């Protein structure tokens, strides 16, 4: 209540300020024609100095400050009266205006300034409007004639107060267009109602209910309706350029005196008081009967009806049907009646009658006004008494009702204020700093409106805001934003049109809901157009459209339809009526175009059509801003993207995309694309599908500029997780691929900068770019080039190391190695990626970025991020593992070659081992050799080092000159003899001394090989370890040597059981090299040797020497590769990372299952190791034999012979006497199986 009272006071203050402002700006001359100061009293003229004095004082009272209240203690502002009170103010105005007629000039007052002026209230009628001002002065004030003062209020004791009041009327000569009667903070002293001195019957409860609610007992009037104006009043309060004439019949009686009035006045004055009473009673009875009152009233004793009365008065009896005439007749006789008690009685009955009808209230106002011209004190006392007792009493029981009355009065006052401050009245000459507070109160009223339409309150509030927004200073954007949010919400949240009638409560008469809805929507459209008209620019248009975004995205069809229609009308207004002079191109306009474009496939037909038209209008505005309006088809003649040749939707989209590319700026186009991306996670499948298809066409149409790619990809990464529909997901994959084809370089660079490549949706981007083979190769090439961007150490800050482009490219390549879509691309770029990773590893080692290198464990899964060096090394391993060159990885792994690459000191050794393994397994030798030659020409030392290490190792292969010219190779080596790096010079010299460079040297080595072979084949060579090392080096340089290889392989098996671990290890390792380098001619013989060596090698996996075990694993794997076992890769995994009996059992199974039909040979070969002097080998043999007897018993029964059983029994009997307890236990455990086996072997 306090808040509304304060706002109501504010509105009252503005009314006073506006009234004074209408006379002209402050400081201009004010004449008696413009400002009439009339005092209630005898007919004495008002001197000019009195006009000036009171005008100056009144001007101070009309400044925009809160009105001064009565000074006596306890005086407070009562709540505003009911809407029905407005008519009494109008009647009072009619009474007071009568004193300004010729012959009724008020008496003069003192010419000095009068203190204590305060406002009683505002008045307004169809003819004029103004202020009622109470002037308070003390009775003993010097110079003030006591006869000119009037005290309209008496205390409870009835004595006169020491001060009096006079009334001053401030009239405005310009007529108000409509009858808006707004009470403005009436400040009534706290006087008792008994001072009026009237005795009247109290209205019954039925009469009280008739004043508060309609007669319909089914539906009780809610609070939102208790203070609303009647339908007639609602219609009369229209603000939309109404005609200035007075609507209705009563207006005629305010502005002119009928010809018959003089006749009636003479008749009334000639009557006695009893005759006047009879006339008044007759009229009163008839008026009460017309209103169907239930309230008791005095009954006429004469029985005279209204027709007889009119005949008596020589008036037309047909005028009895004219209710306005009867009220005027009633007022004339009250005015001419000299009996004060009779006048008070009839006035009391009249004011106690029903006020529900607008015509009834206006008629009462007319009668009371006429009566007040001669009985002003009585009328005024009755009016104030009624305001304090009747209407205030009805409002007191319910605080909510008081709030509703305050809101209604406030709204009415705001309507009056808006009319007063019309632009043509000169309101633009002043500044109204409190307009935002007034608008905020109006918005509060709007927010409390129910979700149905029964009155025009929404329209009134919006139209008042439209009027207030035209005042100076202009509203701030924050205030405008609040207005738009509230108004749009109030209108758009209404139920659908088809549900509005059912939502409305049952009222009599039933409101025209469709008409109310149309007026409300029209008011909202006027608000949007008015805001734009205040600042006709593209920025303002974008500001307005920003507030419609929420509703364009709404899930409710009727809300989308309403906002699209509003936007269409706004754009139509902008295009048709305005021409821009400035070239403003706000980027957010692209966002609005995108939102409207997404509605082009809405389920609602009207929404689809209007949204397309809105897009066309916006594009028209954009083109007009560029000065190309003639090139663009007018919107009202265009068919809105309709294609004459084909009506297919795809053609429409194609033309739409071309228009976007042609007409929008880069910033606007970017906002459009971002909006379409944001639409991908909509709940509407049609909207998501349209967004994805438009994005695909935009990316394919080359509509995206390079500078747009970064922002688009950032947004795309955020929107991808929200896609709900599978077909939209597939379309977006095509769109990303299309964008990658158009801007591969930019896409790769932006994606590198986003985040870690192993994040799900970033990896999705990379995978999508690999859907096209050509695009995938372009991506890999760019990554390879980024990998080579390595700044020098002095240009790298320690805190910026992780942001190096080469590191981001390295991380990405590492992830793509294990991505299925890039397997073929990695194979295609194998040589370049290999050289890039090797040089990158050397670069990182130079920088000392070796975090996590020493404590890394391959066989333990850990989500801890890898350091740069470890990432590079793991990527190098993954390059071989994922491209089916896993043999190279396994070879280097089982030789601990990868560990050599972990530090700069052993780095050359690791690269050499890797190059030798690649040469052994023919791993992209030609491509790698070509890349090495290119790297050898680079200026970077690390590139030269890696290249010469690989080339020098490849030159030991006899097939190398099939890929490169020998002369060119010699020239390259000679050039590098001058390299600043000493290791490069040394390796170049070693390459020049290879046997392929000197054919004569090959013959010498072959002869030397035969000599060493004779010594090696002796039963007991002097230095078998030295001989095997030399033989291995010569064989590595000579390559395939035919029959010599077979002899060496056969003789090496004799050293597998040597006492010396070094000899065993060297023999086993050399055996692997020999069987692999024998050539195709002797491959079958070498396979036989490999098969025969499987059991010894299997048992040596349990050798006591770790170095022997590691070499045995490599040779065992090479035998499996030569024999082409099925599970070679799995076998390597167990050999490299397997631990315990489980791994041994798996290796055992791989070997047995890969040699079907040869179980008995392995079984009999294992028996020989039961007598081995090496305990580990003996135990391994027992485990192998036991496993065969348990798991392959049936196969042994089928393949073994009688002689084999005898040998088996003989071997087991020797274990019975073995001092080792494990041997004796083995005998006891499996002797039964052997005996059972002997029964089945034939």
């Amino acid at each position: 209540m306090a808040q509304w009272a304060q706002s109501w006071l504010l509105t009252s203050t503005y009314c006073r300020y506006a009234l004074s402002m209408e006379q002209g700006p402050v400081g201009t001359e004010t004449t008696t024609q413009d400002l009439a100061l009339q005092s209630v009293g005898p007919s004495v003229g008002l001197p000019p100095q009195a006009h000036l004095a009171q005008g100056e004082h009144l001007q101070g009272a009309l400044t925009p400050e809160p009105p001064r209240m009565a000074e006596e203690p306890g005086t407070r502002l009562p709540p505003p009266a009911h809407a029905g009170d407005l008519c009494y103010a109008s009647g009072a105005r009619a009474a007071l205006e009568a004193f300004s007629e010729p012959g009724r000039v008020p008496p003069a007052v003192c010419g000095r300034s009068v203190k204590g002026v305060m406002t009683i209230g505002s008045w307004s009628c169809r003819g004029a409007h103004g202020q009622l001002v109470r002037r308070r002065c003390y009775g003993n004030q010097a110079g003030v004639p006591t006869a000119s003062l009037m005290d309209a209020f008496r205390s409870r004791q009835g004595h006169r107060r020491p001060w009096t009041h006079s009334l001053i009327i401030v009239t405005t000569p310009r007529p108000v267009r409509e009858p808006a009667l707004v009470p403005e903070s009436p400040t009534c002293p706290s006087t008792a109602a008994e001072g009026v001195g009237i005795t009247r019957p109290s209205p019954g409860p039925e009469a009280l209910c008739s004043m508060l609610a309609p007669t319909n007992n089914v539906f009780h009037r809610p609070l939102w309706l208790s203070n609303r104006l009647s339908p007639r009043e609602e219609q009369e309060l229209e603000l939309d350029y109404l005609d200035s004439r007075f609507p209705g019949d009563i207006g005629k009686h305010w502005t002119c005196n009928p010809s018959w009035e003089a006749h009636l006045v003479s008749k009334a004055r000639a009557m006695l008081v009893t005759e006047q009473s009879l006339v008044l009673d007759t009229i009163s009875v008839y008026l009460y009967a017309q209103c169907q009152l239930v309230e008791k009233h005095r009954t006429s004793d004469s029985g005279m009806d209204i027709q007889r009365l009119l005949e008596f008065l020589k008036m037309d009896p047909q005028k009895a049907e004219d209710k306005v005439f009867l009220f005027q007749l009633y007022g004339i006789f009250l005015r001419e009646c000299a009996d004060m008690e009779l006048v008070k009685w009839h006035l009391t009955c009249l004011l106690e009658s029903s006020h529900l009808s607008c015509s009834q209230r206006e008629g009462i106002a007319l009668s009371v006004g006429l009566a007040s011209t001669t009985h002003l004190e009585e009328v005024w006392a009755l009016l104030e008494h009624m305001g304090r007792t009747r209407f205030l009493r009805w409002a007191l029981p319910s605080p909510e009702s008081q709030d509703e009355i305050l809101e209604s009065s406030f709204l009415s006052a705001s309507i009056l204020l808006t009319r007063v401050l019309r632009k043509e009245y000169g309101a633009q000459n002043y500044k109204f700093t409190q307009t935002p507070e007034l608008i905020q109160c109006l918005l509060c009223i709007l927010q409390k409106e129910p979700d149905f339409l029964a009155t025009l309150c929404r329209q009134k509030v919006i139209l008042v805001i439209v009027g207030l927004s035209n005042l100076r200073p202009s509203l701030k954007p924050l205030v405008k934003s609040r207005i738009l949010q509230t108004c749009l919400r109030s209108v758009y949240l209404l139920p659908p049109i088809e549900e509005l009638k059912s939502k409305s409560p049952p009222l009599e008469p039933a409101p025209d809901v469709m008409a109310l809805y149309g007026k409300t929507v029209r008011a909202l459209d006027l608000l949007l157009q008015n805001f734009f008209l205040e600042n006709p620019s593209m920025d303002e248009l974008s500001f307005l459209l920003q507030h419609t975004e929420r509703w364009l995205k709404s899930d409710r069809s009727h809300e989308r339809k309403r906002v699209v229609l509003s936007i269409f009308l706004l754009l139509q207004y902008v295009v048709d009526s305005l021409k821009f002079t400035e070239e403003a191109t706000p980027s957010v306009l692209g966002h609005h175009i995108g939102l409207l474009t997404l509605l082009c496939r809405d389920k609602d037909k009207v929404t689809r059509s209007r949204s397309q038209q809105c897009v066309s209008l916006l594009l028209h505005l954009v083109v007009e801003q560029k000065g190309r309006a003639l090139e663009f088809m007018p919107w009202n003649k265009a068919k809105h993207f309709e294609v004459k040749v084909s009506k297919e939707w795809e053609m429409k989209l194609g033309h739409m995309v071309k228009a976007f590319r042609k007409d929008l700026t880069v910033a606007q186009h970017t906002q459009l694309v971002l909006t379409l991306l944001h639409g991908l996670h909509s709940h509407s499948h049609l909207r998501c599908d349209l967004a994805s298809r438009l994005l695909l066409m935009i990316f394919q149409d080359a509509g995206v500029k390079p500078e747009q790619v970064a922002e688009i990809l950032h947004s795309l990464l955020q929107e991808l997780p929200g896609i709900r529909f599978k077909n939209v997901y597939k379309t977006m994959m095509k769109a990303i691929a299309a964008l990658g084809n158009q801007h591969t370089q930019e896409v790769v660079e932006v994606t590198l900068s986003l985040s870690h490549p192993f994040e799900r949706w970033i990896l999705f981007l990379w995978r999508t770019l690999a859907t096209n083979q050509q695009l995938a190769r372009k991506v890999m090439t760019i990554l390879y080039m980024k990998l080579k961007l390595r700044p020098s150490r002095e240009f790298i800050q320690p805190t910026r190391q992780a942001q190096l482009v080469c590191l981001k490219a390295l991380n990405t390549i590492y992830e793509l190695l294990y991505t299925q879509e890039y397997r073929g691309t990695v194979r295609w770029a194998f040589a370049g990626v290999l050289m890039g990773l090797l040089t990158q590893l050397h670069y990182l080692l130079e920088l000392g970025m070796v975090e996590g290198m020493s404590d890394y464990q391959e066989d333990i899964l850990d989500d801890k991020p890898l350091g740069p060096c470890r990432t590079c090394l793991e990527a190098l391993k993954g390059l071989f593992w994922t491209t089916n060159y896993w043999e190279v990885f396994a070879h280097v792994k089982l030789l601990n070659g990868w560990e050599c690459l972990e530090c700069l000191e052993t780095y050359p050794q690791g690269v050499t081992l890797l190059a030798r393994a690649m040469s052994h397994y023919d791993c992209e030798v030609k491509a790698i050799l070509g890349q090495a030659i290119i790297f050898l020409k680079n200026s970077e030392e690390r590139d030269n080092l890696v290249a010469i290490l690989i080339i020098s190792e490849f030159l030991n292969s006899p097939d190398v000159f099939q890929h490169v010219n020998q002369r060119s190779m010699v020239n390259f080596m000679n050039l590098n003899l001058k390299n600043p790096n000493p290791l490069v010079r040394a390796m170049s010299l070693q390459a020049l001394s290879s046997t392929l460079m000197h054919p004569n040297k090959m013959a010498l080595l072959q002869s030397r090989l035969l000599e060493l072979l004779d010594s090696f084949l002796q039963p007991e060579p002097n230095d078998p370890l030295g001989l095997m090392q030399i033989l291995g080096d010569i064989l590595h340089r000579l390559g395939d040597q035919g029959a010599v290889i077979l002899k060496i392989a056969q003789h090496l098996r004799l050293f597998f059981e040597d006492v010396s671990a070094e000899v065993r290890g060297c023999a086993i390792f050399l055996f692997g090299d020999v069987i692999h380098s024998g050539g195709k001619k002797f491959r079958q013989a070498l396979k036989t040797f490999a098969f025969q060596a499987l059991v010894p090698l299997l048992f040596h996996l349990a050798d006591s020497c770790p170095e022997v075990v590691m070499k045995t694993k490599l040779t065992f794997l090479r035998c499996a590769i030569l024999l082409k076992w099925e599970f070679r890769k799995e076998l390597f995994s167990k050999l490299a990372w397997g631990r315990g009996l489980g791994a041994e059992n798996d290796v055992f199974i791989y070997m047995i299952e890969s040699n079907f039909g040869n179980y008995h040979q392995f079984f009999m070969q294992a028996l020989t190791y039961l007598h081995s002097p090496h305990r580990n080998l003996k135990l391994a043999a027992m485990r192998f034999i036991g496993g065969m007897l348990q798991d392959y018993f049936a196969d042994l029964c089928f393949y073994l012979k009688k002689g084999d059983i005898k040998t088996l029994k003989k071997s087991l009997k020797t274990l019975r006497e073995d001092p080792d307890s494990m041997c004796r236990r083995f005998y006891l455990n499996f002797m039964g199986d052997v005996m059972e086996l002997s029964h089945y072997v034939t």
Side-chain angles (χ1 to χ4, degrees), residues 674 677-681 714-723:
L674 296 180
L677 288 172
H678 187 66
L680 292 175
H681 61 79
H714 279 83
S715 179
L716 178 62
L717 186 65
Q718 296 176 359
E719 305 301 338
L720 281 176
I723 297 179

Side-chain angles (χ1 to χ4, degrees), residues 150-206:
M150 178 194 68
D151 187 1
F153 304 95
R154 293 176 173 85
S155 64
R156 297 180 182 270
Q157 292 77 16
H159 63 81
R160 289 185 174 271
R161 303 188 180 195
W163 51 270
T164 60
H165 292 77
S166 63
L167 299 179
I168 300 175
I169 304 173
V170 183
T171 59
T172 303
R174 296 181 180 86
V176 180
R177 294 177 182 266
E178 300 167 322
L181 307 173
V182 185
E184 186 188 23
S185 304
T187 54
C188 305
S190 297
T191 57
E194 293 82 353
V196 181
I198 300 177
T199 304
R200 58 180 179 179
S202 301
E206 296 84 357

Side-chain angles (χ1 to χ4, degrees), residues 643-845:
V643 184
K644 297 180 179 180
V645 179
S646 174
K647 299 296 183 180
E648 295 181 0
W649 180 247
E650 291 292 338
M651 296 295 293
K652 295 181 183 179
L653 293 182
H655 282 259
M656 189 181 294
V657 169
K658 291 180 180 178
F660 293 156
R661 175 172 52 85
K662 179 181 178 182
D663 300 328
L664 298 181
T665 64
V666 175
Q668 291 171 345
H669 194 271
T670 302
Q671 291 299 318
L672 168 68
V673 175
L674 296 180
T675 303
L676 296 177
L677 288 172
H678 187 66
L680 292 175
H681 61 79
S682 172
H683 294 281
S684 171
H685 179 265
L686 291 175
R687 200 177 304 179
C688 293
D689 182 67
L690 176 60
S692 62
R693 293 169 67 181
L694 281 172
L695 288 170
L696 175 60
M697 298 179 73
I698 290 174
F699 294 162
Q700 289 176 340
D701 189 54
V704 177
K705 300 294 188 294
E707 56 268 27
Q708 298 177 254
V709 174
E711 196 169 358
I712 290 175
L713 282 180
H714 279 83
S715 179
L716 178 62
L717 186 65
Q718 296 176 359
E719 305 301 338
L720 281 176
I723 297 179
R724 296 177 173 87
F725 307 102
K726 188 174 182 181
N727 66 319
V728 176
Y729 191 85
K730 292 181 178 179
T731 305
M732 284 310 302
M733 292 183 66
K734 296 179 182 178
I736 295 172
L739 181 63
N741 277 323
Q742 296 291 338
H743 305 283
T744 310
Q745 181 77 23
E746 290 78 8
V747 169
V748 172
E749 291 178 353
V750 173
T751 310
L752 280 176
S753 65
L754 287 176
S755 184
H756 297 292
F758 54 80
E759 291 186 1
R760 177 184 177 186
W761 294 108
I762 297 181
L763 188 59
F764 168 79
L765 292 180
W766 291 115
R767 291 171 56 191
T768 304
L769 295 175
T771 53
N772 180 284
Q773 182 181 8
Q774 183 179 3
L775 177 59
R777 292 184 175 183
K778 292 168 65 176
V779 169
M780 188 58 65
T781 302
I782 295 174
L783 289 175
Y784 168 74
M785 298 303 296
K786 298 295 181 182
L787 189 65
K788 297 176 66 176
L789 298 178
R790 305 171 184 132
S792 302
R793 182 194 296 268
E794 56 269 16
F795 297 107
I796 301 177
Q797 301 178 5
T799 58
R800 306 277 295 179
Q801 289 182 351
Q803 300 180 5
L804 294 176
V805 177
C806 60
L807 292 184
K808 295 181 178 180
L810 171 63
N811 293 330
T812 303
I813 291 174
Y814 177 49
E815 293 297 329
L816 297 185
L817 291 175
Y818 296 93
T819 304
Q820 184 64 35
E821 290 80 1
Y822 281 91
R823 290 291 174 86
T825 304
V826 172
R827 186 73 178 263
W828 169 79
F830 182 89
V833 175
L834 173 66
M835 297 300 295
L837 291 175
L838 286 173
T839 53
Q840 179 73 10
L841 181 59
H842 194 280
Y843 171 73
L844 296 175
L845 291 174

Side-chain angles (χ1 to χ4, degrees), residues 562-573:
R562 287 170 181 168
V563 68
V564 168
L565 289 175
S566 297
I567 294 175
F568 170 72
L569 292 176
L570 175 62
L571 295 177
Q572 182 181 359
Y573 171 77

Side-chain angles (χ1 to χ4, degrees), residues 458-500:
R458 280 185 174 86
Q459 180 202 17
K460 301 306 173 187
V461 172
I462 296 175
L463 291 178
V464 169
I465 293 175
V466 171
L468 295 176
S469 65
N470 294 323
L471 301 177
R472 294 177 58 216
S474 300
L475 298 178
K476 295 182 179 180
L478 185 61
V479 178
K480 283 187 176 182
S481 180
R482 192 184 310 121
I483 293 172
L484 290 171
Q485 291 174 8
T486 305
C487 294
L488 293 179
R489 179 181 178 85
S490 179
V491 176
Y492 291 158
L493 282 182
L494 288 173
I497 296 179
E498 54 273 10
E499 298 180 10
L500 276 176

Side-chain angles (χ1 to χ4, degrees), residues 865-882:
L866 303 177
C869 278
R870 176 52 62 181
T871 300
C872 187
L873 184 56
E874 294 303 315
L876 195 58
K877 296 177 184 179
L879 178 64
F880 293 97
W881 185 261
T882 59

Side-chain angles (χ1 to χ4, degrees), residues 1065-1208:
C1066 187
I1068 292 173
F1069 180 77
L1070 184 58
F1071 182 81
D1073 285 343
V1074 168
I1075 63 173
H1076 187 77
S1077 59
K1080 295 181 180 180
K1081 183 177 180 180
F1082 300 96
R1083 182 165 299 173
Q1084 188 59 41
L1086 292 174
K1087 285 184 178 181
T1088 303
F1089 291 144
F1091 176 78
Q1092 295 173 356
L1094 287 176
V1095 173
L1097 292 174
L1098 179 65
F1099 294 165
H1100 277 285
L1101 292 176
D1103 197 280
S1104 58
C1105 180
E1107 294 183 2
V1108 174
V1109 173
M1110 186 60 65
K1111 293 178 180 179
T1112 302
K1113 289 181 179 180
L1114 176 59
T1115 303
F1116 189 82
L1117 178 63
R1118 300 182 78 172
C1119 291
I1121 294 173
L1122 180 63
L1123 297 173
K1124 297 182 179 180
W1125 287 1
E1126 182 179 358
F1127 303 102
R1128 299 186 297 273
K1129 201 170 185 179
E1130 292 78 3
L1131 173 63
F1132 162 69
S1133 298
K1134 295 300 178 181
L1135 292 174
W1137 299 291
R1139 299 289 186 272
L1141 294 177
E1144 294 180 5
N1145 185 65
D1146 291 337
V1147 174
F1148 166 77
I1149 293 175
Y1150 292 149
M1151 188 184 77
I1152 300 300
E1153 295 295 334
S1154 300
N1155 293 274
F1156 180 76
N1158 298 318
Y1159 306 149
H1160 64 292
Q1161 298 182 34
F1162 292 152
F1163 186 79
M1164 297 308 296
Q1165 193 176 4
L1167 292 177
T1168 60
Y1169 280 87
L1170 293 176
H1171 310 289
S1172 173
H1174 303 286
R1175 187 173 183 273
N1176 291 343
L1177 300 181
K1178 182 188 292 187
L1179 295 176
M1182 287 189 293
R1183 288 194 297 270
F1184 181 83
I1185 294 171
M1188 292 292 291
L1189 289 173
Q1190 288 180 349
D1191 300 333
Y1192 299 94
F1193 186 84
D1195 297 283
L1196 293 177
C1197 292
F1198 181 78
Y1199 289 107
L1200 290 178
K1201 304 299 182 182
K1202 287 288 186 179
D1204 298 333
I1205 296 299
K1206 292 180 180 180
T1207 306
L1208 175 58

